[in-house]
């Protein structure tokens, strides 16, 4: 299922693919992590490392619609987040997305 999400984190044409059968969200650059993705799949928190990378590289658009778009993705209740840059993550995807939203809100305030 395709989820349109313009400018989240960048690019008007941005969107995310969600596989309902495996509860996998292909989340592109939402959780970009530094390094080479030494582990293919992790269960530890990736928000902290991806947010440290984002603060250094500043690649988010900070769209006014970001909170609603992140909430829309969180409502999918993903169990696997596959990242374009870095390790995939297994766990409560909704909680991880909401933690990302809180970090973005704190940064833009």
């Amino acid at each position: 299922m395709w989820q349109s999400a313009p400018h989240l984190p960048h690019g008007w044409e941005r969107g995310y693919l969600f596989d309902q059968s495996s509860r996998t969200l292909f989340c592109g650059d939402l959780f970009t992590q530094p390094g080479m993705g030494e582990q293919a799949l992790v269960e530890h928190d990736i928000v902290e490392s991806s947010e440290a990378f984002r603060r250094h590289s500043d690649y988010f658009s900070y769209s006014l619609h970001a909170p609603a778009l992140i909430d829309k993705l969180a409502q999918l209740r993903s169990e696997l987040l596959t990242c374009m840059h870095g390790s995939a993550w297994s766990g409560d995807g909704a909680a991880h997305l909401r933690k990302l939203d809180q970090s973005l809100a704190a940064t833009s305030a």
Side-chain angles (χ1 to χ4, degrees), residues 1-3 17-26 76-79:
M1 169 183 355
W2 180 254
Q3 300 292 304
L17 187 62
F18 178 67
D19 178 50
Q20 294 172 297
S21 63
S22 65
R23 311 230 47 90
T24 300
L25 179 64
F26 295 86
L76 296 171
R77 298 184 352 240
S78 57
E79 296 173 3

Side-chain angles (χ1 to χ4, degrees), residues 23-93:
R23 311 230 47 90
T24 300
L25 179 64
F26 295 86
C27 58
D29 290 335
L30 284 180
F31 297 99
T32 295
Q33 303 148 59
M36 302 294 289
E38 290 78 15
Q39 290 183 268
L41 178 65
V42 297
E43 293 181 353
H44 63 269
D45 188 319
I46 60 172
V47 176
E48 296 299 323
S49 63
S50 70
E51 282 297 274
F53 187 82
R54 178 189 60 81
R55 284 189 290 274
H56 173 60
S57 301
D58 197 29
Y59 59 88
F60 262 66
S61 67
Y62 303 100
S63 164
L64 295 174
H65 303 289
L69 294 171
I70 291 173
D71 184 60
K72 177 173 88 167
L73 295 175
Q75 289 180 35
L76 296 171
R77 298 184 352 240
S78 57
E79 296 173 3
L80 181 64
L81 302 174
T82 61
C83 304
M84 185 181 297
H85 307 285
S87 301
W89 181 82
S90 177
D92 183 349

